[in-house]
């Protein structure tokens, strides 16, 4: 696709969606989050074309993480085994717009916890914070299909964003998300053709396109960020050209991917600067880059990175209509 | 691809009969089914049977608009007949005037008349202009391009946005002695016509004319359509009930990177154009 002039105007736009249901809307959230709506590329066109301000979803794990580096454990050391308190800390101290509950602990290799545990965590986090939730499975299809429908039910009517569904595993979660009134994350492995196909498959099941957020997979700085950037950008241009199957807002998993990078966490690297700074910097650089490609929700982990990225967002989007 | 559906034409026996019987249902059914098949415009041609062509055009337009808001393409070589349709057209839906040559012996000002009619309807009225003048239909590439250039510059002089123009380089039946050179000439003309304005004017063809009298009509039509699309054609008056043709359009658009590929690309094309 050709790179457009920044002065171009487009026929299409990114879908605008509102996550979270307040009491009036049948839920218990104290606030909602609206994303999408962009009518141009980031920085392109008129101020009012910028759409909604991107948001940060901070990760809360259902079970205490065993492999987190010291720099990432430090800010959460008192709450790592208390998902409710962890979520509260993210919202009240670190300014999280949403909480993303990541159910790592249900994975067969990471604790193999059952649906009861996942439901309990969901209820705990719903009670602890008033922001909308993202509910993200462990990545093992069998286990996710067993547990995530229960998680969905525990948050029924709260208009959460739940996922992920993929080309070869979408039916169970799509059906339950539809029934429980949630929004759905459709995922593809850095492949725009598969991304589009998943959206088609899901919409064939009667799931409204206006309730989908896409996850194209994320690569961190130094680990394939250019692929993630290009795909986000291509999706945005397709949305602007009126492709209804690609007009969804976008979520990126910056926290997990950034902290996988050895540069973010390797202790014994004298030439690289203080390890306490490197992780947050890696996360910040990855996030700001993907925001410019058109990401709408950024999943993040370190509070310092979150603070910097939120400052960046407020500067770039400050004049929006 | 802007598909203009060809079936509401008095040359077809069912439409001819419906006009004679004043049977709206046949017309409204064709309008609905062609819209569902992906038509961006519905061509409306009274044919030759009706004595009162203006009145018939008016009746057809009113009948279609009762149940369908798809933009219409009023098809007549007589400005008076088009005016009959415009009297009752809903300008909000958009309309395409089909068609005018650059000029003709009997009426030097015919192009101006069509521009005026379009302007009276409003900004959503577009115009098909044939690369044809008082000397008739050109056989070669250069004359087609020269006439197209005059059409574009005349439109600009009149303040008519070239993006509202659909230039028709005139497709002739391939099954005519010595006519087989024409498709190549037309494609060569398209290569130049697309540079006459920026953004380019639209280009359209009366596709079915190509296979007039030939066998394998559908095959001939869709292969030429795909070839012409790669030379800049972005519209055609065609049989939208021809599924193979519509699939060829969807595939060509995908191969030209106008649509992102997905395994269900045919289905997506159809649902997006309903």
């Amino acid at each position: 696709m050709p790179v457009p002039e920044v002065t171009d105007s487009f026929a299409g736009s990114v879908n605008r969606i509102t996550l979270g249901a307040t009491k009036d809307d049948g839920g218990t959230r104290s606030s909602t989050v609206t994303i999408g709506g962009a009518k141009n590329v980031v920085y392109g066109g008129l101020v009012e074309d910028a759409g909604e301000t991107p948001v940060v979803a901070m990760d809360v794990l259902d079970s205490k993480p065993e492999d987190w580096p010291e720099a990432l454990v430090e800010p959460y050391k008192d709450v790592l085994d208390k998902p409710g308190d962890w979520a509260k800390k993210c919202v009240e101290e670190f300014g999280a717009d949403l909480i993303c509950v990541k159910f790592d602990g249900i994975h067969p290799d990471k604790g193999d916890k059952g649906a009861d545990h996942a439901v309990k965590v969901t209820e705990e986090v719903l009670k602890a914070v008033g922001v909308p939730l993202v509910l993200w499975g462990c990545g093992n299809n069998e286990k996710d299909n067993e547990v995530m429908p229960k998680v969905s039910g525990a948050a029924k009517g709260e208009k959460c964003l739940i996922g992920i569904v993929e080309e070869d595993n979408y039916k169970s979660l799509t059906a339950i998300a539809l029934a429980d009134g949630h929004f759905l994350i459709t995922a593809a492995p850095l492949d725009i053709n598969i991304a589009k196909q998943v959206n088609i498959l899901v919409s064939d099941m009667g799931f409204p396109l206006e309730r989908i957020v896409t996850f194209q997979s994320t690569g961190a700085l130094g680990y394939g960020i250019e692929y993630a950037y290009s795909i986000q950008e291509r999706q945005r241009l397709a949305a602007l050209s009126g492709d209804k199957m690609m007009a969804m807002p976008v979520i990126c998993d910056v926290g997990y991917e950034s902290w996988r990078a050895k540069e973010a966490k390797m202790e014994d690297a004298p030439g690289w600067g203080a390890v306490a700074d490197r992780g947050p910097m890696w996360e910040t650089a990855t996030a700001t880059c993907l925001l410019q490609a058109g990401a709408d929700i950024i999943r993040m982990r370190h509070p310092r990175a979150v603070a910097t990225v939120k400052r960046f967002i407020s500067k770039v989007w400050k004049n929006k209509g | 691809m802007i598909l203009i559906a060809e079936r509401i034409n008095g040359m077809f026996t069912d439409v001819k009969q419906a006009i004679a019987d004043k049977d709206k249902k046949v017309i409204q059914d064709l309008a609905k089914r062609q819209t569902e098949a992906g038509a961006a415009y519905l061509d409306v041609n009274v044919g030759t049977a009706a004595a009162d062509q203006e009145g018939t055009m008016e009746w057809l337009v009113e009948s279609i608009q009762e149940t369908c808001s798809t933009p219409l393409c009023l098809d007549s070589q007589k400005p008076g007949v088009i005016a009959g349709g415009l009297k009752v057209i809903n300008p909000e839906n958009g309309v395409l005037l089909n068609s005018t040559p650059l000029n003709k012996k009997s009426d030097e000002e015919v192009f101006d008349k069509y521009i005026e009619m379009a302007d009276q309807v409003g900004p959503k009225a577009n115009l098909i202009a044939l690369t044809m003048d008082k000397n008739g239909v050109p056989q070669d590439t250069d004359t087609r391009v020269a006439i197209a250039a005059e059409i574009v510059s005349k439109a600009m002089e009149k303040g008519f946005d070239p993006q509202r123009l659909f230039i028709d380089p005139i497709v002739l039946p391939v099954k005519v002695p010595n006519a087989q050179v024409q498709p190549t000439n037309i494609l060569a003309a398209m290569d130049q016509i697309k540079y006459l304005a920026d953004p380019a004017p639209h280009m359209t063809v009366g596709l079915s004319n190509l296979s007039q009298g030939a066998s394998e009509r559908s095959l001939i039509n869709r292969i030429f359509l795909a070839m012409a699309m790669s030379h800049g054609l972005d519209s055609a008056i065609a049989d939208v009930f021809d599924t193979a043709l519509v699939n060829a359009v969807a595939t060509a658009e995908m191969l030209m990177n106008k649509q992102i590929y997905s395994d269900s690309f045919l289905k997506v094309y159809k649902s997006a154009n309903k």
Side-chain angles (χ1 to χ4, degrees):
Chain A
M1 279 187 181
V3 176
E5 294 283 329
V6 287
T7 49
D8 273 354
S9 65
F10 299 92
S13 62
V14 177
N15 296 338
R16 183 180 255 106
I17 66 172
T18 299
L19 299 169
T22 57
K23 201 173 163 191
D24 293 342
D25 205 11
T28 63
R29 304 298 80 206
S30 56
S31 62
T32 60
V33 164
T34 302
I35 53 166
K39 295 179 184 158
N40 211 309
V41 294
V42 178
Y43 286 131
L46 304 169
V47 168
E48 53 268 29
D49 291 348
E52 301 293 336
T53 306
V55 293
V56 172
M58 288 184 77
D59 282 2
V60 167
L61 272 53
D62 67 306
S63 306
K64 187 175 178 176
E66 300 298 336
D67 54 353
W68 278 22
E70 177 53 32
L72 195 49
V73 167
E74 176 57 27
Y76 303 110
K77 58 178 185 287
D78 303 331
V79 293
L80 283 175
D81 53 359
K82 303 185 197 84
D85 292 346
W86 185 348
K88 211 171 156 96
K89 196 176 183 99
C90 286
V91 173
E92 291 175 5
E93 290 181 34
F94 305 141
D97 301 302
L98 302 120
I99 291 297
C100 176
V101 186
K102 178 73 169 66
F103 291 94
D104 274 359
I106 64 174
H107 195 285
D109 302 337
K110 295 181 189 168
D112 203 19
K113 291 178 181 167
D116 292 350
H117 155 82
V119 165
K120 196 172 138 261
V121 169
T122 306
E123 287 167 347
E124 197 179 318
V125 175
L126 277 169
K127 211 168 161 187
V129 296
V131 299
L133 301 190
V134 183
L135 304 167
W136 198 298
C138 69
N140 176 287
N141 288 347
E142 207 175 313
K143 204 60 197 290
D144 281 344
N145 287 338
E146 178 193 327
V147 174
M148 292 310 285
K150 303 272 169 39
V151 168
S152 169
K156 185 171 180 161
E158 297 284 3
K159 295 193 175 167
C160 298
L161 180 58
I162 194 165
I164 55 175
V165 299
E166 297 174 281
E167 189 181 22
D168 54 1
N169 185 52
Y170 63 94
K171 289 183 179 161
S172 318
L173 200 51
T174 299
I176 198 79
L178 184 62
D180 290 340
H182 295 310
F183 291 74
L184 193 64
I185 303 168
T186 58
L190 289 174
D191 184 322
I192 195 94
N193 306 132
I194 293 176
K196 187 165 176 174
Q197 186 67 12
V198 184
N199 292 336
I200 296 163
L201 293 170
V202 163
S203 83
D204 279 351
M205 283 181 69
F207 200 91
L209 294 170
E210 299 72 28
R211 268 166 60 191
I212 296 175
V213 170
T214 56
F215 175 57
Q216 305 285 6
S217 300
T218 303
L221 177 63
Y223 295 84
I225 195 170
E226 52 275 63
Y227 295 102
Y229 191 101
S230 300
I231 283 202
Q232 306 296 178
E233 194 177 45
R234 186 143 186 233
Q235 175 172 0
R236 170 65 66 90
L237 292 176
L240 297 177
S241 76
D243 187 340
K244 298 281 175 230
M245 291 297 167
M246 296 304 287
M248 298 79 187
V250 169
I251 189 167
C252 289
D253 183 5
V254 167
Y256 169 71
E257 293 293 340
S258 301
W259 286 92
R260 280 172 76 189
K262 69 173 184 294
E263 291 85 348
K265 60 190 177 190
M266 198 155 88
E267 304 266 353
D268 186 23
W272 289 359
V275 69
D277 295 332
R278 265 189 267 127
M281 284 166 73
W282 217 261
E283 209 180 338
T284 302
T286 302
T288 49
C289 175
L290 292 172
L291 281 166
Q292 290 169 71
D296 300 277
I297 307 177
I298 302 274
R299 273 181 60 194
M300 297 188 68
R301 291 193 167 166
H302 199 285
R304 277 170 65 199
V306 170
T308 313
V309 167
K310 288 190 67 120
R311 240 183 352 261
F312 171 81
I313 292 172
S314 68
K315 278 185 185 160
V316 173
W317 274 265
K318 71 176 172 186
N319 292 320
K320 76 171 192 69
Chain B
M1 190 70 185
I2 302 165
L3 286 175
I4 304 164
E6 69 181 12
R7 273 293 273 108
I8 303 179
N9 186 323
M11 303 292 273
F12 290 98
T13 49
D14 57 345
V15 174
K16 187 177 176 181
Q17 192 62 47
I19 291 171
D21 302 343
K22 293 271 177 215
D23 181 356
K24 285 183 192 176
K25 286 235 165 57
V26 173
I27 307 298
Q28 289 169 344
D29 178 57
L30 276 170
K32 179 166 177 277
R33 287 193 295 126
Q34 291 189 114
T35 300
E36 285 168 358
Y41 285 93
L42 304 173
D43 194 74
V44 185
N45 186 319
V46 298
T48 50
D52 176 12
Q53 295 205 346
E54 275 183 51
T56 303
M57 181 61 96
E58 202 175 322
W59 175 78
L60 282 170
V61 170
E62 281 180 321
S63 301
I64 296 165
Q65 287 184 162
E66 275 177 22
T67 55
C68 178
S69 59
T70 308
L72 302 181
C73 173
L74 305 183
D75 183 356
S76 175
Q77 298 313 307
K78 297 177 185 163
V81 177
I82 297 216
L86 290 180
K87 266 197 286 186
V88 289
I89 200 98
N90 179 351
E92 284 308 306
N93 293 346
V95 64
L96 186 53
L97 276 51
N98 179 14
S99 58
T100 177
L102 177 62
N103 52 48
K104 51 183 174 185
K105 275 189 185 135
S106 59
D107 188 355
E108 284 276 353
E109 307 295 318
V110 62
F111 183 80
D112 303 54
K113 282 179 191 162
Y114 274 81
I115 292 263
E116 269 166 43
M117 283 198 290
D119 277 338
Q120 273 168 18
V121 180
K124 287 188 178 175
N126 300 329
L127 174 63
I128 298 181
L130 308 167
T131 59
M132 178 180 167
D133 62 7
K134 52 189 164 191
N135 301 317
V137 177
Q139 303 293 309
D140 65 329
T141 301
D142 291 348
T143 316
R144 280 188 169 97
V145 175
I147 296 174
E150 271 197 73
I151 287 168
V152 170
S153 70
K154 222 170 164 187
M156 283 166 130
E157 268 170 38
K158 299 233 157 226
F160 192 86
D161 185 347
Q163 282 208 278
R164 291 168 67 193
L165 278 179
F166 286 63
I167 294 181
D168 182 344
I170 309 182
V171 166
L172 300 165
V174 73
K175 192 193 171 184
V176 165
N178 302 321
Q180 251 178 284
V181 65
Q182 288 303 327
T184 311
N185 286 351
I186 288 165
L187 297 179
M190 286 177 176
D191 285 338
Q192 298 181 55
I193 291 170
K194 67 186 170 196
Y195 293 117
L196 291 177
D198 183 19
H202 295 286
M203 281 189 274
T204 195
V205 290
L207 185 65
S208 302
N209 201 31
L210 178 70
S211 59
Q212 203 68 255
S215 62
E216 300 293 356
R217 292 199 64 182
S218 166
L219 182 64
I220 292 172
N221 291 345
R222 70 176 178 270
I223 296 292
F224 181 73
L225 186 58
M227 292 164 70
M229 284 172 75
S230 76
H231 289 258
L233 187 80
D234 67 345
S235 168
I237 306 170
D239 177 10
V240 295
F241 294 146
D242 182 345
T243 311
L245 178 95
V246 176
N247 285 349
V249 168
T251 308
E253 286 200 350
M254 184 275 291
L255 291 173
M256 289 161 74
N257 199 18
K258 294 190 173 176
Q259 299 293 333
I260 291 174
Y261 174 86
S262 67
D263 287 346
S264 302
F265 72 92
L266 287 179
K267 191 172 171 179
V268 170
Y269 181 86
K270 278 173 203 157
S271 63
N273 288 284
K274 256 182 198 170

